[in-house]
């Protein structure tokens, strides 16, 4: 990881849970295989750190499933309101906003704009991506979630 991530990005990486880091590394390897020598540091960092915002929610796998179902039932606008709550409701709101939270964390860490953009956009439809379409398609296909 140290060859791909900056010191500040590495600190964020280390905040991720072991299962999340393992999954992110798997995604990174798939991106690297797909892009080969053309896989830039920014693209690999995007693969590794796209879900770093999930650390703010401190949710278990079960909690993430509940949060996803709650978000689907209540709609995306409720996430912001839930972040103002306390306890589990707040953590649900934070989890549902992990893309924006992660992008902000990466921007503050000085990450490449592509890495920041992918963290913010990785759940959006492809027509809303600002990253190059081929890069976004590779990152999305490698994540497979």
């Amino acid at each position: 990881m140290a060859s791909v991530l900056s010191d500040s990005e590495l600190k964020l990486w280390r905040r991720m849970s072991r299962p999340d880091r393992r999954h992110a590394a798997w995604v990174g390897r798939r991106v690297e295989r797909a892009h080969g020598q053309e896989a830039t540091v920014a693209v690999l960092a995007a693969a590794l750190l796209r879900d770093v915002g999930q650390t703010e929610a401190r949710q278990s796998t079960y909690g993430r499933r509940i949060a996803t179902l709650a978000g689907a039932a209540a709609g995306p606008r409720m996430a912001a309101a839930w972040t103002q709550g306390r306890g589990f409701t707040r953590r649900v709101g934070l989890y549902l906003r992990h893309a924006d939270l992660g992008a902000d964390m990466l921007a503050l860490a000085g990450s490449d704009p592509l890495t920041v953009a992918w963290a913010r956009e990785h759940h959006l439809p492809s027509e809303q991506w600002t990253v190059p379409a081929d890069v976004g398609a590779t990152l999305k296909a490698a994540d497979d979630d």
Side-chain angles (χ1 to χ4, degrees):
M1 294 310 135
S3 64
V4 173
L5 302 178
S6 69
D7 289 343
S8 55
E9 289 172 332
L10 199 53
K11 287 178 185 173
L12 293 175
W13 164 264
R14 289 182 179 135
R15 289 177 57 187
M16 295 169 62
S17 70
R18 279 194 181 117
D20 286 347
R21 288 193 311 251
R22 197 170 27 254
H23 174 68
W26 179 79
V27 171
R29 284 189 298 275
R30 289 186 72 184
V31 168
E32 195 170 34
R33 279 194 300 272
H35 268 273
Q37 297 292 341
E38 298 172 17
T40 65
V41 169
V43 171
L44 292 173
L48 295 170
L49 295 170
R50 77 209 172 286
D51 282 332
V52 72
Q54 291 178 0
T55 61
E56 297 300 302
R58 298 184 320 271
Q59 289 281 14
S60 66
T61 301
Y62 179 74
R64 290 176 184 191
R65 289 184 179 148
I66 296 297
T68 300
L69 292 172
R77 288 189 283 174
M78 282 305 297
W82 287 343
T83 60
Q84 304 305 310
R86 295 194 324 215
F88 184 73
T89 302
R90 176 174 169 71
R91 292 195 321 268
V92 167
L94 291 171
Y95 177 77
L96 293 173
R97 298 193 61 228
H98 79 270
D100 288 330
L101 294 171
D104 291 348
M105 292 164 70
L106 290 165
L108 289 170
S111 296
D112 186 276
L114 184 142
T115 304
V116 174
W118 186 247
R120 190 176 312 279
E121 299 168 5
H122 71 279
H123 288 297
L124 296 177
S126 59
E127 59 271 5
Q128 294 180 23
W129 295 344
T130 62
V131 300
D134 63 324
V135 171
T138 299
L139 286 163
K140 189 71 166 175
D143 194 8
D144 197 61
D145 65 21

